[in-house]
Amino acid sequence: MAAGKWENGLFWGRCELCGRWRPVTPEPLAAEAFFTHWRAVFSCCGREQAALITVEKDELDFH
């Protein structure tokens, strides 16, 4: 599993082979009261990789 992060308003995925961070387009997985979880699939070094990214919400989500 590739590393992922949220930084400067962008989602980033890090290649498992070369270690390069690249901007990725994630899809939402799930949400809870405090966090939103995302999954980004991207290709680097000839491999398809997936990165999981968790973002803390600015506001609490109580329904």
Side-chain angles (χ1 to χ4, degrees):
M1 179 76 54
K5 67 180 177 179
W6 167 258
E7 185 175 87
N8 298 326
L10 294 173
F11 291 98
W12 297 87
R14 185 172 150 218
C15 177
E16 293 179 294
L17 297 176
C18 71
R20 179 178 159 214
W21 287 97
R22 56 187 308 129
V24 295
T25 304
E27 296 179 10
L29 282 178
E32 50 189 74
F34 301 102
F35 300 98
T36 303
H37 304 280
W38 302 82
R39 180 174 185 260
V41 176
F42 64 97
S43 294
C44 189
C45 295
R47 281 180 61 183
E48 186 173 281
Q49 303 176 51
L52 295 178
I53 302 160
T54 301
V55 178
E56 187 173 8
K57 292 182 177 182
D58 291 339
E59 298 178 8
L60 296 181
D61 186 15
F62 293 109
H63 291 193

mmCIF file of all heavy atoms in Angstrom, residues 14-52:
data_model
loop_
_atom_site.group_PDB
_atom_site.id
_atom_site.type_symbol
_atom_site.label_atom_id
_atom_site.label_comp_id
_atom_site.label_asym_id
_atom_site.label_seq_id
_atom_site.Cartn_x
_atom_site.Cartn_y
_atom_site.Cartn_z
ATOM 1 N N ARG A 14 2.466 8.540 -2.558
ATOM 2 C CA ARG A 14 3.907 8.299 -2.661
ATOM 3 C C ARG A 14 4.169 6.905 -3.222
ATOM 4 O O ARG A 14 3.697 5.904 -2.690
ATOM 5 C CB ARG A 14 4.554 8.426 -1.293
ATOM 6 C CG ARG A 14 6.050 8.309 -1.351
ATOM 7 C CD ARG A 14 6.640 8.626 0.001
ATOM 8 N NE ARG A 14 7.849 7.871 0.144
ATOM 9 C CZ ARG A 14 8.274 7.310 1.254
ATOM 10 N NH1 ARG A 14 7.570 7.444 2.353
ATOM 11 N NH2 ARG A 14 9.371 6.641 1.292
ATOM 12 N N CYS A 15 4.942 6.834 -4.290
ATOM 13 C CA CYS A 15 5.262 5.571 -4.940
ATOM 14 C C CYS A 15 6.040 4.681 -3.976
ATOM 15 O O CYS A 15 6.969 5.127 -3.304
ATOM 16 C CB CYS A 15 6.093 5.833 -6.198
ATOM 17 S SG CYS A 15 6.620 4.319 -7.034
ATOM 18 N N GLU A 16 5.659 3.405 -3.934
ATOM 19 C CA GLU A 16 6.341 2.449 -3.075
ATOM 20 C C GLU A 16 7.752 2.126 -3.574
ATOM 21 O O GLU A 16 8.610 1.745 -2.801
ATOM 22 C CB GLU A 16 5.543 1.146 -3.011
ATOM 23 C CG GLU A 16 4.218 1.283 -2.307
ATOM 24 C CD GLU A 16 3.461 -0.022 -2.306
ATOM 25 O OE1 GLU A 16 3.062 -0.488 -3.404
ATOM 26 O OE2 GLU A 16 3.289 -0.584 -1.223
ATOM 27 N N LEU A 17 7.994 2.293 -4.878
ATOM 28 C CA LEU A 17 9.292 1.928 -5.442
ATOM 29 C C LEU A 17 10.287 3.089 -5.447
ATOM 30 O O LEU A 17 11.395 2.960 -4.946
ATOM 31 C CB LEU A 17 9.117 1.386 -6.861
ATOM 32 C CG LEU A 17 8.290 0.103 -6.959
ATOM 33 C CD1 LEU A 17 8.094 -0.297 -8.409
ATOM 34 C CD2 LEU A 17 8.962 -1.011 -6.188
ATOM 35 N N CYS A 18 9.907 4.224 -6.035
ATOM 36 C CA CYS A 18 10.861 5.334 -6.165
ATOM 37 C C CYS A 18 10.736 6.365 -5.044
ATOM 38 O O CYS A 18 11.619 7.204 -4.876
ATOM 39 C CB CYS A 18 10.727 6.012 -7.521
ATOM 40 S SG CYS A 18 9.207 6.981 -7.747
ATOM 41 N N GLY A 19 9.621 6.350 -4.295
ATOM 42 C CA GLY A 19 9.441 7.280 -3.181
ATOM 43 C C GLY A 19 8.989 8.674 -3.579
ATOM 44 O O GLY A 19 8.885 9.555 -2.738
ATOM 45 N N ARG A 20 8.698 8.892 -4.847
ATOM 46 C CA ARG A 20 8.271 10.211 -5.329
ATOM 47 C C ARG A 20 6.823 10.489 -4.939
ATOM 48 O O ARG A 20 5.951 9.645 -5.083
ATOM 49 C CB ARG A 20 8.407 10.247 -6.851
ATOM 50 C CG ARG A 20 7.988 11.534 -7.458
ATOM 51 C CD ARG A 20 8.189 11.515 -8.964
ATOM 52 N NE ARG A 20 7.334 12.528 -9.552
ATOM 53 C CZ ARG A 20 6.751 12.429 -10.720
ATOM 54 N NH1 ARG A 20 6.958 11.373 -11.462
ATOM 55 N NH2 ARG A 20 5.985 13.386 -11.160
ATOM 56 N N TRP A 21 6.572 11.693 -4.410
ATOM 57 C CA TRP A 21 5.209 12.138 -4.100
ATOM 58 C C TRP A 21 4.615 12.734 -5.362
ATOM 59 O O TRP A 21 5.256 13.527 -6.040
ATOM 60 C CB TRP A 21 5.222 13.186 -2.998
ATOM 61 C CG TRP A 21 5.519 12.629 -1.654
ATOM 62 C CD1 TRP A 21 6.727 12.616 -1.029
ATOM 63 C CD2 TRP A 21 4.608 11.994 -0.755
ATOM 64 N NE1 TRP A 21 6.619 12.009 0.201
ATOM 65 C CE2 TRP A 21 5.329 11.621 0.395
ATOM 66 C CE3 TRP A 21 3.251 11.699 -0.815
ATOM 67 C CZ2 TRP A 21 4.733 10.978 1.468
ATOM 68 C CZ3 TRP A 21 2.661 11.054 0.254
ATOM 69 C CH2 TRP A 21 3.396 10.702 1.382
ATOM 70 N N ARG A 22 3.370 12.370 -5.661
ATOM 71 C CA ARG A 22 2.697 12.913 -6.845
ATOM 72 C C ARG A 22 1.253 13.244 -6.499
ATOM 73 O O ARG A 22 0.650 12.581 -5.667
ATOM 74 C CB ARG A 22 2.779 11.916 -7.993
ATOM 75 C CG ARG A 22 2.230 10.574 -7.644
ATOM 76 C CD ARG A 22 2.451 9.495 -8.695
ATOM 77 N NE ARG A 22 2.010 9.881 -9.990
ATOM 78 C CZ ARG A 22 2.757 9.786 -11.084
ATOM 79 N NH1 ARG A 22 3.951 9.278 -11.028
ATOM 80 N NH2 ARG A 22 2.291 10.172 -12.246
ATOM 81 N N PRO A 23 0.688 14.275 -7.123
ATOM 82 C CA PRO A 23 -0.716 14.602 -6.861
ATOM 83 C C PRO A 23 -1.616 13.479 -7.384
ATOM 84 O O PRO A 23 -1.354 12.911 -8.443
ATOM 85 C CB PRO A 23 -0.948 15.904 -7.616
ATOM 86 C CG PRO A 23 0.203 16.062 -8.538
ATOM 87 C CD PRO A 23 1.312 15.197 -8.066
ATOM 88 N N VAL A 24 -2.639 13.149 -6.624
ATOM 89 C CA VAL A 24 -3.563 12.073 -6.998
ATOM 90 C C VAL A 24 -5.002 12.558 -6.856
ATOM 91 O O VAL A 24 -5.272 13.545 -6.178
ATOM 92 C CB VAL A 24 -3.331 10.808 -6.133
ATOM 93 C CG1 VAL A 24 -1.970 10.215 -6.399
ATOM 94 C CG2 VAL A 24 -3.503 11.102 -4.654
ATOM 95 N N THR A 25 -5.912 11.839 -7.489
ATOM 96 C CA THR A 25 -7.337 12.141 -7.398
ATOM 97 C C THR A 25 -8.014 11.007 -6.626
ATOM 98 O O THR A 25 -8.169 9.907 -7.156
ATOM 99 C CB THR A 25 -7.953 12.259 -8.802
ATOM 100 O OG1 THR A 25 -7.227 13.239 -9.533
ATOM 101 C CG2 THR A 25 -9.417 12.655 -8.712
ATOM 102 N N PRO A 26 -8.378 11.260 -5.374
ATOM 103 C CA PRO A 26 -8.970 10.192 -4.563
ATOM 104 C C PRO A 26 -10.487 10.097 -4.720
ATOM 105 O O PRO A 26 -11.137 11.009 -5.210
ATOM 106 C CB PRO A 26 -8.614 10.617 -3.146
ATOM 107 C CG PRO A 26 -8.646 12.104 -3.224
ATOM 108 C CD PRO A 26 -8.135 12.464 -4.603
ATOM 109 N N GLU A 27 -11.003 8.952 -4.284
ATOM 110 C CA GLU A 27 -12.445 8.732 -4.205
ATOM 111 C C GLU A 27 -12.802 8.538 -2.736
ATOM 112 O O GLU A 27 -12.040 7.923 -1.991
ATOM 113 C CB GLU A 27 -12.821 7.484 -4.995
ATOM 114 C CG GLU A 27 -12.537 7.605 -6.465
ATOM 115 C CD GLU A 27 -12.905 6.339 -7.220
ATOM 116 O OE1 GLU A 27 -13.558 5.443 -6.641
ATOM 117 O OE2 GLU A 27 -12.541 6.245 -8.388
ATOM 118 N N PRO A 28 -13.944 9.060 -2.309
ATOM 119 C CA PRO A 28 -14.320 8.892 -0.898
ATOM 120 C C PRO A 28 -14.628 7.432 -0.582
ATOM 121 O O PRO A 28 -15.237 6.730 -1.371
ATOM 122 C CB PRO A 28 -15.560 9.766 -0.755
ATOM 123 C CG PRO A 28 -16.084 9.953 -2.135
ATOM 124 C CD PRO A 28 -14.929 9.810 -3.068
ATOM 125 N N LEU A 29 -14.159 6.999 0.577
ATOM 126 C CA LEU A 29 -14.447 5.641 1.050
ATOM 127 C C LEU A 29 -15.537 5.659 2.103
ATOM 128 O O LEU A 29 -16.559 5.008 1.973
ATOM 129 C CB LEU A 29 -13.191 5.011 1.667
ATOM 130 C CG LEU A 29 -12.150 4.476 0.728
ATOM 131 C CD1 LEU A 29 -10.959 3.926 1.516
ATOM 132 C CD2 LEU A 29 -12.722 3.377 -0.138
ATOM 133 N N ALA A 30 -15.298 6.391 3.173
ATOM 134 C CA ALA A 30 -16.238 6.423 4.290
ATOM 135 C C ALA A 30 -16.016 7.707 5.069
ATOM 136 O O ALA A 30 -15.000 8.372 4.932
ATOM 137 C CB ALA A 30 -16.032 5.219 5.193
ATOM 138 N N ALA A 31 -16.980 8.022 5.886
ATOM 139 C CA ALA A 31 -16.866 9.191 6.747
ATOM 140 C C ALA A 31 -17.368 8.816 8.130
ATOM 141 O O ALA A 31 -18.206 7.934 8.279
ATOM 142 C CB ALA A 31 -17.667 10.357 6.191
ATOM 143 N N GLU A 32 -16.828 9.470 9.103
ATOM 144 C CA GLU A 32 -17.283 9.298 10.476
ATOM 145 C C GLU A 32 -17.368 10.675 11.092
ATOM 146 O O GLU A 32 -17.188 11.676 10.407
ATOM 147 C CB GLU A 32 -16.348 8.354 11.237
ATOM 148 C CG GLU A 32 -14.885 8.727 11.097
ATOM 149 C CD GLU A 32 -13.960 7.677 11.663
ATOM 150 O OE1 GLU A 32 -13.781 6.631 11.051
ATOM 151 O OE2 GLU A 32 -13.430 7.959 12.742
ATOM 152 N N ALA A 33 -17.619 10.762 12.363
ATOM 153 C CA ALA A 33 -17.843 12.057 13.009
ATOM 154 C C ALA A 33 -16.644 13.000 12.897
ATOM 155 O O ALA A 33 -16.812 14.193 12.725
ATOM 156 C CB ALA A 33 -18.206 11.853 14.482
ATOM 157 N N PHE A 34 -15.430 12.474 12.963
ATOM 158 C CA PHE A 34 -14.255 13.335 13.017
ATOM 159 C C PHE A 34 -13.368 13.273 11.777
ATOM 160 O O PHE A 34 -12.551 14.152 11.553
ATOM 161 C CB PHE A 34 -13.398 12.984 14.243
ATOM 162 C CG PHE A 34 -14.144 13.134 15.535
ATOM 163 C CD1 PHE A 34 -14.645 12.030 16.189
ATOM 164 C CD2 PHE A 34 -14.367 14.387 16.082
ATOM 165 C CE1 PHE A 34 -15.336 12.167 17.385
ATOM 166 C CE2 PHE A 34 -15.060 14.540 17.270
ATOM 167 C CZ PHE A 34 -15.553 13.427 17.919
ATOM 168 N N PHE A 35 -13.472 12.213 10.966
ATOM 169 C CA PHE A 35 -12.562 12.019 9.839
ATOM 170 C C PHE A 35 -13.305 11.603 8.575
ATOM 171 O O PHE A 35 -14.355 10.980 8.632
ATOM 172 C CB PHE A 35 -11.529 10.926 10.153
ATOM 173 C CG PHE A 35 -10.681 11.244 11.336
ATOM 174 C CD1 PHE A 35 -10.981 10.722 12.578
ATOM 175 C CD2 PHE A 35 -9.579 12.073 11.230
ATOM 176 C CE1 PHE A 35 -10.201 11.009 13.685
ATOM 177 C CE2 PHE A 35 -8.795 12.375 12.320
ATOM 178 C CZ PHE A 35 -9.103 11.842 13.552
ATOM 179 N N THR A 36 -12.710 11.898 7.415
ATOM 180 C CA THR A 36 -13.153 11.397 6.125
ATOM 181 C C THR A 36 -12.017 10.566 5.557
ATOM 182 O O THR A 36 -10.862 10.971 5.615
ATOM 183 C CB THR A 36 -13.485 12.553 5.159
ATOM 184 O OG1 THR A 36 -14.457 13.384 5.750
ATOM 185 C CG2 THR A 36 -14.007 12.039 3.843
ATOM 186 N N HIS A 37 -12.343 9.399 5.005
ATOM 187 C CA HIS A 37 -11.339 8.499 4.464
ATOM 188 C C HIS A 37 -11.448 8.468 2.944
ATOM 189 O O HIS A 37 -12.545 8.407 2.398
ATOM 190 C CB HIS A 37 -11.524 7.091 5.041
ATOM 191 C CG HIS A 37 -11.494 7.076 6.529
ATOM 192 N ND1 HIS A 37 -10.326 7.101 7.246
ATOM 193 C CD2 HIS A 37 -12.487 7.070 7.443
ATOM 194 C CE1 HIS A 37 -10.601 7.093 8.537
ATOM 195 N NE2 HIS A 37 -11.915 7.079 8.681
ATOM 196 N N TRP A 38 -10.305 8.507 2.277
ATOM 197 C CA TRP A 38 -10.230 8.550 0.819
ATOM 198 C C TRP A 38 -9.287 7.460 0.332
ATOM 199 O O TRP A 38 -8.375 7.050 1.042
ATOM 200 C CB TRP A 38 -9.684 9.890 0.359
ATOM 201 C CG TRP A 38 -10.471 11.072 0.803
ATOM 202 C CD1 TRP A 38 -10.408 11.706 2.007
ATOM 203 C CD2 TRP A 38 -11.444 11.773 0.047
ATOM 204 N NE1 TRP A 38 -11.292 12.757 2.041
ATOM 205 C CE2 TRP A 38 -11.933 12.827 0.845
ATOM 206 C CE3 TRP A 38 -11.956 11.623 -1.242
ATOM 207 C CZ2 TRP A 38 -12.896 13.715 0.399
ATOM 208 C CZ3 TRP A 38 -12.911 12.512 -1.684
ATOM 209 C CH2 TRP A 38 -13.383 13.553 -0.867
ATOM 210 N N ARG A 39 -9.479 7.024 -0.920
ATOM 211 C CA ARG A 39 -8.588 6.054 -1.560
ATOM 212 C C ARG A 39 -8.247 6.589 -2.939
ATOM 213 O O ARG A 39 -9.126 6.942 -3.718
ATOM 214 C CB ARG A 39 -9.269 4.702 -1.688
ATOM 215 C CG ARG A 39 -8.406 3.657 -2.345
ATOM 216 C CD ARG A 39 -9.114 2.305 -2.302
ATOM 217 N NE ARG A 39 -8.271 1.265 -2.825
ATOM 218 C CZ ARG A 39 -8.382 0.773 -4.065
ATOM 219 N NH1 ARG A 39 -9.315 1.222 -4.875
ATOM 220 N NH2 ARG A 39 -7.569 -0.183 -4.460
ATOM 221 N N ALA A 40 -6.951 6.640 -3.237
ATOM 222 C CA ALA A 40 -6.486 7.109 -4.541
ATOM 223 C C ALA A 40 -5.715 5.987 -5.224
ATOM 224 O O ALA A 40 -4.810 5.402 -4.642
ATOM 225 C CB ALA A 40 -5.590 8.324 -4.374
ATOM 226 N N VAL A 41 -6.086 5.686 -6.453
ATOM 227 C CA VAL A 41 -5.372 4.698 -7.260
ATOM 228 C C VAL A 41 -4.581 5.479 -8.307
ATOM 229 O O VAL A 41 -5.124 6.340 -8.993
ATOM 230 C CB VAL A 41 -6.357 3.713 -7.932
ATOM 231 C CG1 VAL A 41 -5.619 2.754 -8.837
ATOM 232 C CG2 VAL A 41 -7.151 2.964 -6.876
ATOM 233 N N PHE A 42 -3.287 5.183 -8.414
ATOM 234 C CA PHE A 42 -2.433 5.874 -9.373
ATOM 235 C C PHE A 42 -1.357 4.927 -9.881
ATOM 236 O O PHE A 42 -1.115 3.873 -9.313
ATOM 237 C CB PHE A 42 -1.808 7.118 -8.741
ATOM 238 C CG PHE A 42 -0.868 6.828 -7.601
ATOM 239 C CD1 PHE A 42 0.505 6.774 -7.802
ATOM 240 C CD2 PHE A 42 -1.353 6.605 -6.320
ATOM 241 C CE1 PHE A 42 1.362 6.505 -6.752
ATOM 242 C CE2 PHE A 42 -0.507 6.343 -5.260
ATOM 243 C CZ PHE A 42 0.859 6.291 -5.469
ATOM 244 N N SER A 43 -0.708 5.313 -10.981
ATOM 245 C CA SER A 43 0.364 4.504 -11.559
ATOM 246 C C SER A 43 1.680 5.248 -11.460
ATOM 247 O O SER A 43 1.747 6.456 -11.699
ATOM 248 C CB SER A 43 0.080 4.203 -13.028
ATOM 249 O OG SER A 43 -1.054 3.390 -13.142
ATOM 250 N N CYS A 44 2.734 4.508 -11.102
ATOM 251 C CA CYS A 44 4.089 5.048 -11.068
ATOM 252 C C CYS A 44 5.040 3.858 -11.154
ATOM 253 O O CYS A 44 4.744 2.796 -10.615
ATOM 254 C CB CYS A 44 4.330 5.852 -9.790
ATOM 255 S SG CYS A 44 5.894 6.774 -9.794
ATOM 256 N N CYS A 45 6.156 4.027 -11.816
ATOM 257 C CA CYS A 45 7.161 2.962 -11.971
ATOM 258 C C CYS A 45 6.555 1.698 -12.584
ATOM 259 O O CYS A 45 6.937 0.579 -12.242
ATOM 260 C CB CYS A 45 7.840 2.654 -10.646
ATOM 261 S SG CYS A 45 8.823 4.006 -9.990
ATOM 262 N N GLY A 46 5.570 1.882 -13.456
ATOM 263 C CA GLY A 46 4.962 0.753 -14.137
ATOM 264 C C GLY A 46 4.029 -0.083 -13.283
ATOM 265 O O GLY A 46 3.627 -1.173 -13.688
ATOM 266 N N ARG A 47 3.666 0.395 -12.108
ATOM 267 C CA ARG A 47 2.769 -0.333 -11.202
ATOM 268 C C ARG A 47 1.560 0.499 -10.851
ATOM 269 O O ARG A 47 1.673 1.700 -10.635
ATOM 270 C CB ARG A 47 3.487 -0.646 -9.892
ATOM 271 C CG ARG A 47 4.408 -1.820 -9.961
ATOM 272 C CD ARG A 47 5.083 -2.075 -8.644
ATOM 273 N NE ARG A 47 4.136 -2.374 -7.580
ATOM 274 C CZ ARG A 47 4.491 -2.567 -6.320
ATOM 275 N NH1 ARG A 47 5.751 -2.472 -5.959
ATOM 276 N NH2 ARG A 47 3.596 -2.837 -5.412
ATOM 277 N N GLU A 48 0.409 -0.156 -10.776
ATOM 278 C CA GLU A 48 -0.784 0.513 -10.250
ATOM 279 C C GLU A 48 -0.730 0.381 -8.738
ATOM 280 O O GLU A 48 -0.509 -0.705 -8.209
ATOM 281 C CB GLU A 48 -2.040 -0.130 -10.803
ATOM 282 C CG GLU A 48 -3.289 0.620 -10.393
ATOM 283 C CD GLU A 48 -4.518 0.093 -11.071
ATOM 284 O OE1 GLU A 48 -4.730 0.440 -12.250
ATOM 285 O OE2 GLU A 48 -5.242 -0.674 -10.420
ATOM 286 N N GLN A 49 -0.904 1.498 -8.044
ATOM 287 C CA GLN A 49 -0.791 1.538 -6.591
ATOM 288 C C GLN A 49 -2.002 2.233 -5.999
ATOM 289 O O GLN A 49 -2.683 2.986 -6.675
ATOM 290 C CB GLN A 49 0.476 2.287 -6.197
ATOM 291 C CG GLN A 49 1.730 1.689 -6.797
ATOM 292 C CD GLN A 49 2.963 2.495 -6.488
ATOM 293 O OE1 GLN A 49 3.211 2.817 -5.334
ATOM 294 N NE2 GLN A 49 3.742 2.811 -7.500
ATOM 295 N N ALA A 50 -2.257 1.988 -4.726
ATOM 296 C CA ALA A 50 -3.375 2.624 -4.034
ATOM 297 C C ALA A 50 -2.861 3.240 -2.738
ATOM 298 O O ALA A 50 -2.043 2.653 -2.038
ATOM 299 C CB ALA A 50 -4.470 1.614 -3.729
ATOM 300 N N ALA A 51 -3.348 4.436 -2.456
ATOM 301 C CA ALA A 51 -2.983 5.139 -1.225
ATOM 302 C C ALA A 51 -4.250 5.459 -0.448
ATOM 303 O O ALA A 51 -5.242 5.896 -1.031
ATOM 304 C CB ALA A 51 -2.237 6.427 -1.547
ATOM 305 N N LEU A 52 -4.213 5.234 0.854
ATOM 306 C CA LEU A 52 -5.326 5.607 1.727
ATOM 307 C C LEU A 52 -4.980 6.925 2.403
ATOM 308 O O LEU A 52 -3.856 7.111 2.885
ATOM 309 C CB LEU A 52 -5.582 4.527 2.776
ATOM 310 C CG LEU A 52 -6.043 3.188 2.232
ATOM 311 C CD1 LEU A 52 -6.218 2.197 3.370
ATOM 312 C CD2 LEU A 52 -7.328 3.329 1.453
#
